[in-house]
Amino acid sequence: MEKALDWLGRHHEDIVRGLADLVAIPSISTDGEHRTEIDRTAALTVDQMRAAGLNNAEVLRVGGSLPYAYGEWLDAPGKPTVFLYAHHDVQPINFVEQWKSDPWKLTRRDGRLYARGAADDKGAISAFLGAIAAYRQTVGSLPVNIKMVVEGEEEVGSKNLMKFFDTHRDRIKSDVIVVCDTENIEVGLPCITYSLRGVMTAQVDVTSAKIPVHSGMGGGALPDAALALNAVLGKLYWADGKLPIPGYYDSVRPMTDKETAATRKLPFDEAALRRDIGIVPTAKMAMEAGLNEYEQTWRRPAVTVIAQEASSIKGASNQVLPKATALVSCRLVPDQDPQQAFEQLAAFLTADAPWGVEVKVTPHGPPVTWWMTDPNGPAFEAALGAMRAGFGRDPVAIGCGGSIGFVGPLSELFGGAPALLMGIEDPASNAHAPNESLHEGDFKKLMASLVRLFDGLGKLTPERVK
């Protein structure tokens, strides 16, 4: 292991150049216009897998899916098999004017590596391959077996991922799952995530008429669909209490006293958050009274209006609009059932419609169920020990307000395999936003932690990792 750690230090610039090559390709999956670029990143990832020392590296697809990169190393008989997951597709470049450097050129600045995909999630590809190469280029072998999948459509909901897992279930079968697509809550503090919120999205359509009417003729007399939609959405306003949806919290699992006490020991700088996001001085935080930011975002339901349409500003006309639509994203927590949550939301939003307009609520895409595990057992102990040594600081087990839909089903597919979600981002990473970046010091520490994790897991048998 020491030779592998030494190799990481001596070859860090090579690893960074590999990451630079990955982020230089605009593999945007959300607009359907970058399939060529996504093909190129999959091919490059396969090339980098081979260079790192993985075998049988190839591009795989299922049906009409975007490409997956797959590689393996299976020459450690009797040792656990570790499944590594990352994704090579990225979000588009929004608010271009706010980027301080070329989003497709990895740029060092103030101890960080800036580029679209640097943190989410091409940095994870480089971290995994760096740890693998550290062993393969020194001692020639790994202490565990490796199967690595890098997906090409995570940013569009991983719509083919479960089909991919089912199609290749025998090929990918593993004992432990490792994912680096979550956050450390502050720079230098290693975090392992043991809970994820689920997500369910509803489309809300309001109809008041078949055609628009000149506002000089109908304004004040006809029901305004756009205004009615906002009145409907306004019913969700929760001030500093619970969401006012009847029955919505009946199945929400309370945090234990131990969990609550743990979250309240964690560092959180509200002033820094407000400054970094640019929250206007008059705006208040929206947490339920008595809860902190972690309790609220990890273990409480949330609703967010993520899109709204009635007419465009550019095409605005003096009309009473007949139709308006919104998407409401709902974050779900243990033990909420997505279907029940949808039905409760729909009943609440359709009741007592303004002016009696028609309000229709329908599912917008499939839901993702919440996930939670017990962060104990041999695999978690190996991960926590590796992170403690790699970061030089005691790691903490945390929740995550986001969703990674495949973790629970994949763990079940592998017969209850432990899922280790090791943080790569931090609050300043700005994933999905302008000036996305990866903290270079934490990047180094994560790779050192992965080297140590492989060593720790290699001291266990496949039967003893759970």
Side-chain angles (χ1 to χ4, degrees):
M1 181 180 71
E2 294 305 321
K3 290 182 178 179
L5 291 170
D6 178 67
W7 186 94
L8 279 180
R10 289 186 290 108
H11 290 269
H12 178 70
E13 290 305 317
D14 296 332
I15 297 169
V16 170
R17 279 192 289 272
L19 176 57
D21 290 341
L22 286 170
V23 301
I25 303 173
S27 50
I28 300 167
S29 59
T30 57
D31 59 11
E33 298 176 1
H34 292 79
R35 294 185 71 96
T36 299
E37 289 84 353
I38 294 172
D39 288 344
R40 286 171 56 205
T41 43
L44 177 59
T45 300
V46 166
D47 289 343
Q48 293 188 356
M49 286 176 167
R50 293 191 184 110
L54 293 181
N55 301 324
N56 302 317
E58 61 178 314
V59 172
L60 299 174
R61 299 176 189 268
V62 283
S65 77
L66 294 172
Y68 299 78
Y70 176 81
E72 62 187 21
W73 191 85
L74 305 177
D75 295 326
K79 300 296 185 180
T81 298
V82 180
F83 180 89
L84 306 177
Y85 168 88
H87 63 90
H88 63 88
D89 64 319
V90 298
Q91 286 281 324
I93 301 304
N94 46 10
F95 301 97
V96 178
E97 71 284 355
Q98 295 185 20
W99 282 83
K100 296 180 180 178
S101 54
D102 184 344
W104 307 117
K105 181 179 181 180
L106 195 68
T107 302
R108 259 196 186 104
R109 189 169 65 247
D110 301 325
R112 305 187 70 91
L113 299 170
Y114 287 84
R116 172 60 86 225
D120 182 22
D121 187 39
K122 293 176 178 178
I125 302 172
S126 297
F128 286 148
L129 295 180
I132 291 165
Y135 278 106
R136 293 285 279 131
Q137 302 302 320
T138 54
V139 296
S141 62
L142 285 152
V144 291
N145 299 293
I146 296 289
K147 297 179 180 180
M148 182 171 172
V149 169
V150 183
E151 184 190 2
E153 46 191 18
E154 192 273 348
E155 299 292 4
V156 287
S158 297
K159 53 190 175 184
N160 291 292
L161 187 58
M162 295 314 300
K163 183 178 179 182
F164 176 88
F165 288 156
D166 187 59
T167 300
H168 298 284
R169 63 168 63 208
D170 293 333
R171 187 174 189 179
I172 65 173
K173 185 78 167 67
S174 302
D175 303 301
V176 183
I177 301 163
V178 179
V179 179
C180 292
D181 196 15
T182 52
E183 186 181 54
N184 298 321
I185 59 174
E186 73 173 20
V187 169
L189 178 60
C191 298
I192 191 162
T193 296
Y194 73 96
S195 71
L196 299 164
R197 289 197 291 190
V199 64
M200 173 269 295
T201 303
Q203 179 168 322
V204 183
D205 292 292
V206 170
T207 303
S208 60
K210 289 184 178 181
I211 60 171
V213 173
H214 192 299
S215 61
M217 304 296 182
L222 298 177
D224 183 323
L227 190 57
L229 173 63
N230 283 284
V232 169
L233 298 175
K235 293 166 64 176
L236 294 169
Y237 173 68
W238 62 91
D240 61 355
K242 297 180 179 179
L243 291 166
I245 305 170
Y248 208 64
Y249 290 78
D250 291 353
S251 58
V252 171
R253 187 191 309 179
M255 294 182 75
T256 65
D257 292 342
K258 182 179 179 181
E259 287 175 317
T260 300
T263 64
R264 296 187 178 183
K265 292 178 182 176
L266 296 175
F268 175 64
D269 188 340
E270 182 180 327
L273 175 69
R274 296 180 69 94
R275 180 183 65 249
D276 291 345
I277 297 177
I279 298 175
V280 297
T282 55
K284 301 175 183 178
M285 298 296 283
M287 278 94 74
E288 296 174 44
L291 299 185
N292 64 32
E293 198 262 359
Y294 299 127
E295 293 169 277
Q296 186 72 54
T297 59
W298 296 348
R299 296 291 295 280
R300 302 297 282 176
V303 297
T304 307
V305 178
I306 61 172
Q308 210 170 339
E309 269 183 5
S311 177
S312 69
I313 299 294
K314 185 177 180 180
S317 175
N318 279 315
Q319 296 174 329
V320 180
L321 297 171
K323 297 179 186 296
T325 299
L327 295 179
V328 179
S329 175
C330 304
R331 293 290 176 178
L332 308 175
V333 297
D335 291 298
Q336 284 184 294
D337 174 73
Q339 181 59 35
Q340 183 183 54
F342 170 79
E343 292 171 358
Q344 291 167 334
L345 174 73
F348 179 63
L349 294 181
T350 55
D352 303 318
W355 299 302
V357 297
E358 180 182 282
V359 180
K360 185 179 180 182
V361 181
T362 54
H364 184 81
V368 173
T369 304
W370 54 268
W371 171 81
M372 189 171 180
T373 192
D374 178 7
N376 290 292
F380 279 95
E381 290 169 10
L384 294 170
M387 296 168 80
R388 182 178 294 109
F391 280 76
R393 191 171 175 185
D394 285 338
V396 294
I398 66 169
C400 175
S403 306
I404 306 178
F406 73 84
V407 173
L410 185 62
S411 176
E412 292 177 13
L413 185 69
F414 291 171
L420 309 175
L421 278 56
M422 301 168 66
I424 187 170
E425 301 171 15
D426 64 79
S429 287
N430 286 353
H432 294 204
N435 302 304
E436 179 180 344
S437 68
L438 178 65
H439 188 275
E440 191 166 8
D442 278 6
F443 183 47
K444 293 178 180 179
K445 293 173 183 177
L446 175 62
M447 285 188 283
S449 299
L450 289 167
V451 164
R452 294 176 184 276
L453 175 63
F454 295 164
D455 179 70
L457 292 174
K459 295 174 181 176
L460 303 172
T461 63
E463 296 76 24
R464 286 190 55 228
V465 294
K466 295 180 183 177

